[in-house]
Amino acid sequence: MNLMMAVLVAVLYTGGIYMILRRSMVKVILGLIFLGHAANLLIFTIGNLTKGKPAFVPEGMLSLDEPFADPLPQALILTAIVIGFGVQAFAIILFKRAYKTVGSDDIDQLNHTDELDR
Amino acid sequence: MKSLTNILLVAPILLPFLSAIIMLSAWKKIKFQRVMNLFASGVAVMASLAIMQKVRADGILVLHVGGWQAPFGISIVIDLLSAIMVVITAVIAFVTAIYSIHTIDPEREAFGFYPLLQFLLMGINGAFITGDLFNLYVWFEVMLISSFVLIALGGRKDQLEGAIKYVTLNLLASAIFLAAAGIIYGLAGTLNMADLARKLPLLNNDTMLNLVSVMFLISFGIKSALFPFFFWLPASYHTPPAAVSAIFAGLLTKVGVYALIRVFTLIFTHDVNFTHTVLLVLAGLTMLSGVLGAATQMDFRRILSFHIISQIGYMIMGLALNSPLALAGGIFYIMHHVIVKTNLFFVSGMVNKFEGSYRLKSLGGVFKASPVLSLLFFIPAMSLAGIPPLSGFWAKFTVAKAGFDLEQYFIVGVSLLVGALTLYSMTKIWNEVFWKDKPDSIQNNNTKESWSSVKLYLPLAILSLITIIIGFNAEPFLNLAINAAHQLLNPQEYIKIVLGS
């Protein structure tokens, strides 16, 4: 299971980096979303993937039995997902506005702010 | 009494938050929002000064939010560096509040400019006072989302272009930061910075720590515009209105610098030879590329934007040299730079307001039209270049002195060269905008009445006055920076106070 997750995270990272290097605005957004998901799954895997072992201390015991799934990374991901959702929604709207204003979804057309004033 | 102190500690977050909520509930009442913004910023200045007073008297202040003891809860930790940053933020927010009343157009005001400004301040202050790595990520996001809206607000073509570059690279930085925070949790099982500082040396896993430290370096490097990651800054900072770009230029990159200082003095001190050498090389390249980039520009705000980058290099050089005096120089540099750079962006906004352009080619004759504005440009510009006795001289002098003490002659040489080239850029602006005659082809559209309006000069005058005060009375500020540096380089006290054992 860990190996599968590792491969999935790697695929998401490579896919995300490939996509943000593309020229199309839509692909750049997809790339950003992939990278966000990759980071979330990475943290999820770090918290130990353990099936059917909730992080409750059994009665009469002082600590958890190994192995257990760490609940904290899951809380972190929950926060990160919510933040990511908001930010990505904003980015999609921003890119759409830029597409309408510039009239092209080619990132290479967005070079006016870098032009030198001769 | 205890609960009063606790409220004071969270005031830098709570004040902007409450005032933003109140302003949102009065969405249509623009005049009320202006007054509220000014009032909240004024109260924030007083609160931040009270915090500074308390930190200087009692040492590092800690608040365990919700009563959860560290490392289990989120701790608010204010040491001298945090206090300095909170005070500077409050001062800049206050002058920006005055400045924006007269310069922000009614459309932007109607679409929530003032509440957004307060949300931005909440994020910035939160990042400065948190003692938890994941919480730092959350505050970064609060700051980023407000700045995204502020930079795109208005929706002009160049603004949207700049915003896309700004948003994309900052989201990338956030994704890297998030992954790095996750990995460090996997290594140490904690995200409290003080607890991390205690537990990471016990791991004996320098390879992994170096890897994570580089991830932090990249993500904070993007946010603070370090050498290979700075391209978003000159592409976006000159597009929003002057009040927005002034507060961005003053504060946002400094949050990245603050995070770098915090992380590389408290958490990643396991392999100083590796991490701080990387930082030193990046600092040198950042200084050079920033100042050389500025030399080719012919737009008022783009020149200033490139100079932000080169100045970030000095601050990181202070961090990288890793001696008390060098770090103090870096902190002093932040204080000086925030004030001066915001002031210069204010001046560019004033010139644009009356002459209708930021392009050096189509400007001119401002000295004749307004000698006062010329003086108010001259002071921060000379301070930025490091001309004694203004604040920039002492900042550069401290960093260079620390470099000589450590026999790092090469980097000191680079920093002095960069200082000279800064003077070149400032002289270029002076010649083109203030000194030369106005080009004949450009219509003169300013009115006599507007130039002499005193209230417009007030924020610029306040900041220039602070620059002069720091310049002529540098010792208390320098002592403050030295004390802050000592606190940072001896993290045992920080760890002990946060963890309480």
Side-chain angles (χ1 to χ4, degrees), chain A residues 13 20 25 28 32 35 39-40 42-43 46 70 72-73 76 79-80 83 87 90 94-95 97-98 101 110-118, chain B residues 134 141 148-149 152 155 157-158 160-161 163-165 167-168 171-172 175 178-179 182-183 185-186 191 235 238-239 296-298 302 359 361:
Chain A
Y13 266 118
I20 57 169
M25 284 183 186
V28 170
L32 287 173
L35 287 176
N40 287 341
L42 176 72
I43 300 175
I46 283 165
D70 190 344
L72 193 96
L76 300 185
T79 317
I83 294 175
V87 175
F90 175 80
L94 174 72
F95 276 67
R97 278 292 297 278
T101 318
L110 302 181
N111 53 7
H112 298 94
T113 64
D114 283 320
E115 268 171 5
L116 278 178
D117 188 12
R118 291 277 166 222
Chain B
F134 192 78
E141 295 299 307
F148 290 169
V149 186
K157 189 176 165 191
D158 60 336
L160 290 172
E161 275 192 38
I164 281 187
K165 292 164 192 176
V167 167
T168 310
L171 286 184
L172 179 66
L178 184 62
I183 292 173
Y185 179 79
L191 283 165
H238 63 290
T239 57
T296 61
Q297 298 296 328
M298 286 304 275
R302 295 204 68 195
R359 299 173 62 238
K361 287 272 161 64

Side-chain angles (χ1 to χ4, degrees), chain B residues 160-461:
Chain B
L160 290 172
E161 275 192 38
I164 281 187
K165 292 164 192 176
Y166 178 74
V167 167
T168 310
L169 280 168
N170 275 292
L171 286 184
L172 179 66
S174 294
I176 298 171
F177 183 12
L178 184 62
I183 292 173
I184 211 163
Y185 179 79
L187 283 172
T190 180
L191 283 165
N192 184 294
M193 291 191 217
D195 206 25
L196 279 173
R198 202 184 51 173
K199 282 188 178 149
L200 286 182
L202 306 176
L203 287 176
N204 281 328
N205 192 351
D206 279 5
T207 326
M208 199 65 198
L209 281 184
N210 280 345
L211 191 83
V212 185
S213 70
V214 169
M215 287 178 79
F216 277 105
L217 177 64
I218 291 173
S219 87
F220 294 149
I222 295 177
K223 285 176 202 297
S224 60
L226 270 188
F227 161 62
F229 316 116
F230 62 76
F231 296 99
W232 58 270
L233 193 150
S236 61
Y237 269 26
H238 63 290
T239 57
V244 175
S245 58
I247 201 164
F248 280 21
L251 295 175
L252 291 198
T253 45
K254 259 53 76 184
V255 182
V257 174
Y258 165 84
L260 280 173
I261 292 180
R262 181 65 73 203
V263 165
F264 283 98
T265 56
L266 185 62
I267 301 175
F268 298 116
T269 49
H270 57 282
D271 190 358
V272 175
N273 270 338
F274 169 70
T275 50
H276 286 61
T277 309
V278 173
L279 280 171
L280 193 64
V281 173
L282 290 184
L285 289 168
T286 308
M287 281 190 267
L288 270 180
S289 48
V291 85
L292 292 178
T296 61
Q297 298 296 328
M298 286 304 275
D299 178 292
F300 203 146
R301 285 198 290 178
R302 295 204 68 195
I303 295 175
L304 296 178
S305 300
F306 270 103
H307 275 290
I308 299 175
I309 299 163
S310 80
Q311 310 279 313
I312 296 287
Y314 283 95
M315 299 166 202
I316 301 303
M317 175 181 155
L319 167 66
L321 289 173
N322 203 31
S323 78
L325 188 65
L327 192 56
I331 295 167
F332 188 86
Y333 214 111
I334 297 178
M335 295 192 237
H336 137 77
H337 171 86
V338 172
I339 290 176
V340 164
K341 187 58 82 180
T342 310
N343 203 358
L344 286 171
F345 270 89
F346 281 167
V347 173
S348 75
M350 295 275 284
V351 170
N352 179 55
K353 186 177 167 68
F354 297 130
E355 299 285 323
S357 178
Y358 290 107
R359 299 173 62 238
L360 298 191
K361 287 272 161 64
S362 47
L363 288 168
V366 175
F367 184 76
K368 211 183 276 172
S370 172
V372 181
L373 186 68
S374 311
L375 179 70
L376 290 175
F377 169 78
F378 190 74
I379 293 169
M382 290 302 114
S383 180
L384 190 78
I387 302 295
L390 294 162
S391 59
F393 169 72
W394 300 109
K396 282 201 172 71
F397 175 76
T398 318
V399 178
K401 166 91 168 57
F404 277 128
D405 286 351
L406 295 167
E407 301 183 344
Q408 297 275 4
Y409 300 116
F410 186 72
I411 191 84
V412 175
V414 169
S415 78
L416 296 180
L417 173 72
V418 170
L421 287 170
T422 308
L423 191 59
Y424 162 72
S425 280
M426 291 303 118
T427 320
K428 181 166 77 184
I429 297 181
W430 176 260
N431 284 342
E432 295 280 337
V433 178
F434 295 90
W435 208 239
K436 82 168 185 224
D437 285 335
K438 199 170 174 63
D440 295 334
S441 52
I442 310 291
Q443 283 293 314
N444 199 343
N445 54 1
N446 71 327
T447 49
K448 204 90 191 139
E449 176 260 335
S450 56
W451 275 115
S452 56
S453 161
V454 178
K455 59 192 174 188
L456 283 171
Y457 295 107
L458 185 65
L460 289 77

Side-chain angles (χ1 to χ4, degrees), chain B residues 10-22 36 39-48 118 122 125:
Chain B
V10 288
I13 306 174
L14 220 51
L15 265 174
F17 179 66
L18 290 178
S19 57
I21 296 286
I22 293 171
M36 186 72 208
F39 174 72
S41 311
V43 176
V45 172
M46 283 185 269
S48 66
Q118 291 294 335
M122 176 172 85
N125 279 329

Side-chain angles (χ1 to χ4, degrees), chain B residues 71-101:
Chain B
F72 302 109
I74 290 168
S75 312
I76 301 280
V77 189
I78 306 187
D79 64 353
L80 268 177
L81 177 62
S82 304
I84 291 171
M85 301 307 289
V86 168
V87 171
I88 298 175
T89 308
V91 170
I92 295 300
F94 184 66
V95 288
T96 309
I98 306 174
Y99 188 80
S100 47
I101 289 175

